Amino acid sequence: MTTAGGAHQETWLDDAAGRLVRPYTVSAGRTRPTHPMELLSWVVATGAPPQGRLEPDHDVALRLCGVATTVAEVAARMRLPAAIAKVVLADLVAVGAVRTRPPSPVADPTDRPILEKLLAGLQQRL
């Protein structure tokens, strides 16, 4: 289903049933991204038109990257396992639609207060 602007609506989710498309289908069975990234890596849309056709989940991920966000945030908002979200985002990197940046060196992925703030922010958005 498309909107007037041509973007796919999120028809892959059902509030009662959850995702209607299994994660391995979203990634075409792939479990490893072709572009290395971490959960706290930053992703942002380049603004360039993708050099290829996007699947609905790629379209959703690209919209989420309209502002700089983390891989973890994209995975949470798409209700996908992080490994699958990384595959989708790597596909977008490959077609020039998204660029990534490693997490800031000052960010410690084991810092409990930072993780609690991240969790609180993700819970607010769901």
Side-chain angles (χ1 to χ4, degrees), residues 5-22:
H8 293 279
Q9 291 182 356
E10 292 188 43
T11 57
W12 307 112
L13 297 174
D14 179 273
D15 289 335
R19 285 191 65 84
L20 300 176
V21 176
R22 295 289 174 226

PDB file of all heavy atoms in Angstrom, residues 5-22:
ATOM      1  N   GLY A   5       2.338  10.308  -1.444  1.00  0.00           N
ATOM      2  CA  GLY A   5       3.712  10.628  -1.796  1.00  0.00           C
ATOM      3  C   GLY A   5       4.485   9.437  -2.315  1.00  0.00           C
ATOM      4  O   GLY A   5       5.640   9.540  -2.650  1.00  0.00           O
ATOM      5  N   GLY A   6       3.850   8.250  -2.348  1.00  0.00           N
ATOM      6  CA  GLY A   6       4.521   7.076  -2.868  1.00  0.00           C
ATOM      7  C   GLY A   6       5.223   6.251  -1.805  1.00  0.00           C
ATOM      8  O   GLY A   6       5.763   5.207  -2.091  1.00  0.00           O
ATOM      9  N   ALA A   7       5.236   6.710  -0.568  1.00  0.00           N
ATOM     10  CA  ALA A   7       5.919   5.956   0.501  1.00  0.00           C
ATOM     11  C   ALA A   7       5.009   4.843   1.000  1.00  0.00           C
ATOM     12  O   ALA A   7       3.804   5.004   1.101  1.00  0.00           O
ATOM     13  CB  ALA A   7       6.290   6.898   1.642  1.00  0.00           C
ATOM     14  N   HIS A   8       5.601   3.724   1.325  1.00  0.00           N
ATOM     15  CA  HIS A   8       4.843   2.599   1.841  1.00  0.00           C
ATOM     16  C   HIS A   8       4.361   2.889   3.247  1.00  0.00           C
ATOM     17  O   HIS A   8       5.083   3.434   4.060  1.00  0.00           O
ATOM     18  CB  HIS A   8       5.707   1.324   1.876  1.00  0.00           C
ATOM     19  CG  HIS A   8       6.072   0.831   0.529  1.00  0.00           C
ATOM     20  ND1 HIS A   8       5.222   0.091  -0.236  1.00  0.00           N
ATOM     21  CD2 HIS A   8       7.201   0.981  -0.190  1.00  0.00           C
ATOM     22  CE1 HIS A   8       5.809  -0.200  -1.379  1.00  0.00           C
ATOM     23  NE2 HIS A   8       7.011   0.339  -1.379  1.00  0.00           N
ATOM     24  N   GLN A   9       3.092   2.522   3.524  1.00  0.00           N
ATOM     25  CA  GLN A   9       2.604   2.615   4.885  1.00  0.00           C
ATOM     26  C   GLN A   9       3.055   1.385   5.638  1.00  0.00           C
ATOM     27  O   GLN A   9       3.385   0.372   5.052  1.00  0.00           O
ATOM     28  CB  GLN A   9       1.081   2.687   4.901  1.00  0.00           C
ATOM     29  CG  GLN A   9       0.535   3.986   4.343  1.00  0.00           C
ATOM     30  CD  GLN A   9      -0.971   4.025   4.420  1.00  0.00           C
ATOM     31  OE1 GLN A   9      -1.608   3.062   4.821  1.00  0.00           O
ATOM     32  NE2 GLN A   9      -1.546   5.139   4.029  1.00  0.00           N
ATOM     33  N   GLU A  10       3.065   1.474   6.952  1.00  0.00           N
ATOM     34  CA  GLU A  10       3.503   0.353   7.768  1.00  0.00           C
ATOM     35  C   GLU A  10       2.369  -0.674   7.859  1.00  0.00           C
ATOM     36  O   GLU A  10       1.633  -0.730   8.825  1.00  0.00           O
ATOM     37  CB  GLU A  10       3.949   0.824   9.140  1.00  0.00           C
ATOM     38  CG  GLU A  10       5.217   1.648   9.073  1.00  0.00           C
ATOM     39  CD  GLU A  10       5.778   1.961  10.432  1.00  0.00           C
ATOM     40  OE1 GLU A  10       5.807   1.055  11.276  1.00  0.00           O
ATOM     41  OE2 GLU A  10       6.167   3.095  10.631  1.00  0.00           O
ATOM     42  N   THR A  11       2.241  -1.516   6.830  1.00  0.00           N
ATOM     43  CA  THR A  11       1.202  -2.541   6.797  1.00  0.00           C
ATOM     44  C   THR A  11       1.719  -3.865   7.307  1.00  0.00           C
ATOM     45  O   THR A  11       1.007  -4.849   7.298  1.00  0.00           O
ATOM     46  CB  THR A  11       0.689  -2.730   5.350  1.00  0.00           C
ATOM     47  OG1 THR A  11       1.799  -3.072   4.526  1.00  0.00           O
ATOM     48  CG2 THR A  11       0.018  -1.477   4.844  1.00  0.00           C
ATOM     49  N   TRP A  12       2.965  -3.900   7.757  1.00  0.00           N
ATOM     50  CA  TRP A  12       3.569  -5.151   8.192  1.00  0.00           C
ATOM     51  C   TRP A  12       3.399  -5.388   9.681  1.00  0.00           C
ATOM     52  O   TRP A  12       3.909  -6.351  10.218  1.00  0.00           O
ATOM     53  CB  TRP A  12       5.051  -5.164   7.829  1.00  0.00           C
ATOM     54  CG  TRP A  12       5.283  -4.869   6.388  1.00  0.00           C
ATOM     55  CD1 TRP A  12       5.872  -3.763   5.865  1.00  0.00           C
ATOM     56  CD2 TRP A  12       4.898  -5.677   5.268  1.00  0.00           C
ATOM     57  NE1 TRP A  12       5.885  -3.835   4.500  1.00  0.00           N
ATOM     58  CE2 TRP A  12       5.295  -5.003   4.103  1.00  0.00           C
ATOM     59  CE3 TRP A  12       4.250  -6.899   5.143  1.00  0.00           C
ATOM     60  CZ2 TRP A  12       5.074  -5.510   2.834  1.00  0.00           C
ATOM     61  CZ3 TRP A  12       4.033  -7.399   3.866  1.00  0.00           C
ATOM     62  CH2 TRP A  12       4.442  -6.704   2.738  1.00  0.00           C
ATOM     63  N   LEU A  13       2.684  -4.482  10.382  1.00  0.00           N
ATOM     64  CA  LEU A  13       2.478  -4.627  11.812  1.00  0.00           C
ATOM     65  C   LEU A  13       0.994  -4.713  12.126  1.00  0.00           C
ATOM     66  O   LEU A  13       0.175  -4.067  11.498  1.00  0.00           O
ATOM     67  CB  LEU A  13       3.074  -3.434  12.571  1.00  0.00           C
ATOM     68  CG  LEU A  13       4.571  -3.237  12.476  1.00  0.00           C
ATOM     69  CD1 LEU A  13       4.981  -1.942  13.165  1.00  0.00           C
ATOM     70  CD2 LEU A  13       5.311  -4.401  13.093  1.00  0.00           C
ATOM     71  N   ASP A  14       0.668  -5.533  13.100  1.00  0.00           N
ATOM     72  CA  ASP A  14      -0.683  -5.652  13.608  1.00  0.00           C
ATOM     73  C   ASP A  14      -0.574  -5.537  15.123  1.00  0.00           C
ATOM     74  O   ASP A  14       0.204  -6.268  15.736  1.00  0.00           O
ATOM     75  CB  ASP A  14      -1.280  -7.006  13.198  1.00  0.00           C
ATOM     76  CG  ASP A  14      -2.682  -7.181  13.735  1.00  0.00           C
ATOM     77  OD1 ASP A  14      -2.793  -7.661  14.880  1.00  0.00           O
ATOM     78  OD2 ASP A  14      -3.638  -6.843  13.036  1.00  0.00           O
ATOM     79  N   ASP A  15      -1.324  -4.612  15.727  1.00  0.00           N
ATOM     80  CA  ASP A  15      -1.181  -4.382  17.164  1.00  0.00           C
ATOM     81  C   ASP A  15      -1.374  -5.648  17.983  1.00  0.00           C
ATOM     82  O   ASP A  15      -0.677  -5.879  18.955  1.00  0.00           O
ATOM     83  CB  ASP A  15      -2.153  -3.299  17.635  1.00  0.00           C
ATOM     84  CG  ASP A  15      -1.741  -1.915  17.135  1.00  0.00           C
ATOM     85  OD1 ASP A  15      -0.544  -1.711  16.863  1.00  0.00           O
ATOM     86  OD2 ASP A  15      -2.621  -1.050  17.036  1.00  0.00           O
ATOM     87  N   ALA A  16      -2.311  -6.491  17.601  1.00  0.00           N
ATOM     88  CA  ALA A  16      -2.583  -7.707  18.373  1.00  0.00           C
ATOM     89  C   ALA A  16      -1.599  -8.828  18.044  1.00  0.00           C
ATOM     90  O   ALA A  16      -1.123  -9.531  18.931  1.00  0.00           O
ATOM     91  CB  ALA A  16      -4.011  -8.181  18.111  1.00  0.00           C
ATOM     92  N   ALA A  17      -1.257  -8.981  16.769  1.00  0.00           N
ATOM     93  CA  ALA A  17      -0.438 -10.120  16.348  1.00  0.00           C
ATOM     94  C   ALA A  17       1.053  -9.802  16.279  1.00  0.00           C
ATOM     95  O   ALA A  17       1.872 -10.704  16.262  1.00  0.00           O
ATOM     96  CB  ALA A  17      -0.901 -10.620  14.981  1.00  0.00           C
ATOM     97  N   GLY A  18       1.430  -8.532  16.223  1.00  0.00           N
ATOM     98  CA  GLY A  18       2.839  -8.166  16.057  1.00  0.00           C
ATOM     99  C   GLY A  18       3.190  -8.089  14.578  1.00  0.00           C
ATOM    100  O   GLY A  18       2.340  -7.825  13.730  1.00  0.00           O
ATOM    101  N   ARG A  19       4.454  -8.362  14.264  1.00  0.00           N
ATOM    102  CA  ARG A  19       4.893  -8.319  12.860  1.00  0.00           C
ATOM    103  C   ARG A  19       4.211  -9.420  12.074  1.00  0.00           C
ATOM    104  O   ARG A  19       4.167 -10.563  12.505  1.00  0.00           O
ATOM    105  CB  ARG A  19       6.407  -8.496  12.768  1.00  0.00           C
ATOM    106  CG  ARG A  19       7.180  -7.262  13.176  1.00  0.00           C
ATOM    107  CD  ARG A  19       8.647  -7.387  12.820  1.00  0.00           C
ATOM    108  NE  ARG A  19       8.858  -7.452  11.392  1.00  0.00           N
ATOM    109  CZ  ARG A  19       8.946  -6.403  10.587  1.00  0.00           C
ATOM    110  NH1 ARG A  19       8.842  -5.205  11.069  1.00  0.00           N
ATOM    111  NH2 ARG A  19       9.154  -6.554   9.298  1.00  0.00           N
ATOM    112  N   LEU A  20       3.719  -9.074  10.905  1.00  0.00           N
ATOM    113  CA  LEU A  20       3.067 -10.048  10.043  1.00  0.00           C
ATOM    114  C   LEU A  20       4.054 -10.705   9.088  1.00  0.00           C
ATOM    115  O   LEU A  20       3.736 -11.708   8.473  1.00  0.00           O
ATOM    116  CB  LEU A  20       1.930  -9.374   9.260  1.00  0.00           C
ATOM    117  CG  LEU A  20       0.835  -8.758  10.135  1.00  0.00           C
ATOM    118  CD1 LEU A  20      -0.184  -8.040   9.260  1.00  0.00           C
ATOM    119  CD2 LEU A  20       0.166  -9.801  11.001  1.00  0.00           C
ATOM    120  N   VAL A  21       5.230 -10.130   8.968  1.00  0.00           N
ATOM    121  CA  VAL A  21       6.287 -10.683   8.120  1.00  0.00           C
ATOM    122  C   VAL A  21       7.430 -11.090   9.038  1.00  0.00           C
ATOM    123  O   VAL A  21       7.899 -10.302   9.857  1.00  0.00           O
ATOM    124  CB  VAL A  21       6.773  -9.641   7.084  1.00  0.00           C
ATOM    125  CG1 VAL A  21       7.933 -10.178   6.283  1.00  0.00           C
ATOM    126  CG2 VAL A  21       5.631  -9.229   6.180  1.00  0.00           C
ATOM    127  N   ARG A  22       7.875 -12.321   8.929  1.00  0.00           N
ATOM    128  CA  ARG A  22       8.939 -12.826   9.788  1.00  0.00           C
ATOM    129  C   ARG A  22      10.274 -12.148   9.469  1.00  0.00           C
ATOM    130  O   ARG A  22      10.551 -11.831   8.304  1.00  0.00           O
ATOM    131  CB  ARG A  22       9.074 -14.343   9.643  1.00  0.00           C
ATOM    132  CG  ARG A  22       7.859 -15.071  10.121  1.00  0.00           C
ATOM    133  CD  ARG A  22       7.802 -14.955  11.634  1.00  0.00           C
ATOM    134  NE  ARG A  22       6.570 -15.514  12.153  1.00  0.00           N
ATOM    135  CZ  ARG A  22       5.831 -14.898  13.058  1.00  0.00           C
ATOM    136  NH1 ARG A  22       6.178 -13.737  13.529  1.00  0.00           N
ATOM    137  NH2 ARG A  22       4.735 -15.468  13.511  1.00  0.00           N
TER     138      ARG A  22
END
